[in-house]
Amino acid sequence: MSAPPQDPAAAPPSRRPVARLRRLPARTLCRALLLVALIVAGGAVALMADLPDVATLRDWLADIGLLGWAALVAGLALATLAPVPRTALSLLAGVLAGFWGGLALALTSGVLGAAAGFLLARRLGREVVTRLAGPRLARADARLSERGLLAVLIGRLTPIVPFTVVSYAAGLSGMRWRDFLAGSALGLVPGTVLHVSIGATVGASGRGGVPLLASLAPLTVALVVLGVATQRRRRTADAGGPGA
């Protein structure tokens, strides 16, 4: 007597993702593998690259001029796609360009790098997430999509959360582009101001630097904005009641 056919819903949970992975279109799987390969390659380059010292960079920027600064912005933006501490990049920007120049350099490259990471993950990996997502992941994705700006803002303001992880995770989720960009632009300011200020102070070489205490003002503003947004969201939820 032959065994009755097995109900797919009764299959062990550990085997369901494997089965869904096997049913993925080849094009979708190749895109996901390309994303993984790019991240690994970026990490390898960051670890093995022989970077010039600050003096060499300053001389190169002085010789090349505006084109060199544009190349530096692009280079710093690309560096954020790899597991490179963004703190180090902001410090370098402050050392090279002083406070205001370093701040513009670090913020511009940070927003560009964040946007690039988001778009890479959205283009190459989002389809895999939607096809493999179970009910729990789908619900978490929906909540993240609704609160995208606040989630990104908290991620950017939390020092222990890697910059790259926030960018790629947001791109893999269903978060709206404008929420991600606004959360990144606002959330990058406090830490960037602090780190660029330190770098500018170290590299000032006798020039007047911006006091470190001044960098606490943007941090305070960002925390106030975060608190107001959280309080408003709670009031909206309370007004809706359990049946909302």
Side-chain angles (χ1 to χ4, degrees):
M1 182 177 181
S2 60
Q6 186 177 5
D7 183 4
S14 60
R15 296 182 60 182
R16 292 175 192 169
V18 176
R20 288 196 292 266
L21 184 62
R22 290 175 179 174
R23 292 195 296 267
L24 284 176
R27 184 177 180 180
T28 300
L29 189 57
C30 287
R31 286 179 177 177
L33 292 176
L34 177 59
L35 177 61
V36 174
L38 288 174
I39 295 173
V40 173
V45 171
L47 290 174
M48 296 184 298
D50 187 14
L51 300 177
D53 57 27
V54 172
T56 302
L57 273 177
R58 280 176 170 168
D59 293 340
W60 179 76
L61 290 171
D63 292 338
I64 302 298
L66 186 60
L67 185 60
W69 288 104
L72 183 60
V73 170
L76 293 178
L78 288 175
T80 63
L81 299 178
V84 176
R86 191 171 176 278
T87 299
L89 302 178
S90 298
L91 288 171
L92 176 63
V95 170
L96 290 174
F99 179 76
W100 294 112
L103 185 62
L105 179 63
L107 286 177
T108 302
S109 61
V111 172
L112 289 177
F118 179 93
L119 294 175
L120 272 176
R122 178 62 57 90
R123 178 66 176 172
L124 300 179
R126 171 63 181 166
E127 187 177 355
V128 172
V129 173
T130 56
R131 288 178 177 271
L132 297 181
R136 293 182 179 177
L137 184 57
R139 288 193 295 269
D141 185 41
R143 288 194 295 269
L144 186 60
S145 301
E146 295 172 358
R147 306 173 183 177
L149 191 151
L150 186 60
V152 174
L153 184 59
I154 292 174
R156 296 302 189 200
L157 290 173
T158 305
I160 62 173
V161 179
F163 181 90
T164 305
V165 171
V166 175
S167 301
Y168 288 140
L172 293 175
S173 74
M175 185 182 302
R176 290 179 296 184
W177 160 256
R178 65 183 183 185
D179 290 343
F180 170 78
L181 204 59
S184 291
L186 180 60
L188 286 177
V189 172
T192 302
V193 170
L194 176 60
H195 301 140
V196 169
S197 180
I198 295 173
T201 302
V202 172
S205 299
R207 294 171 296 178
V210 175
L212 294 182
L213 290 178
S215 66
L216 296 179
L219 176 60
T220 303
V221 172
L223 291 177
V224 170
V225 171
L226 178 60
V228 170
T230 303
Q231 187 66 24
R232 181 175 299 178
R233 190 172 296 275
R234 288 177 179 175
R235 289 179 180 176
T236 303
D238 293 341

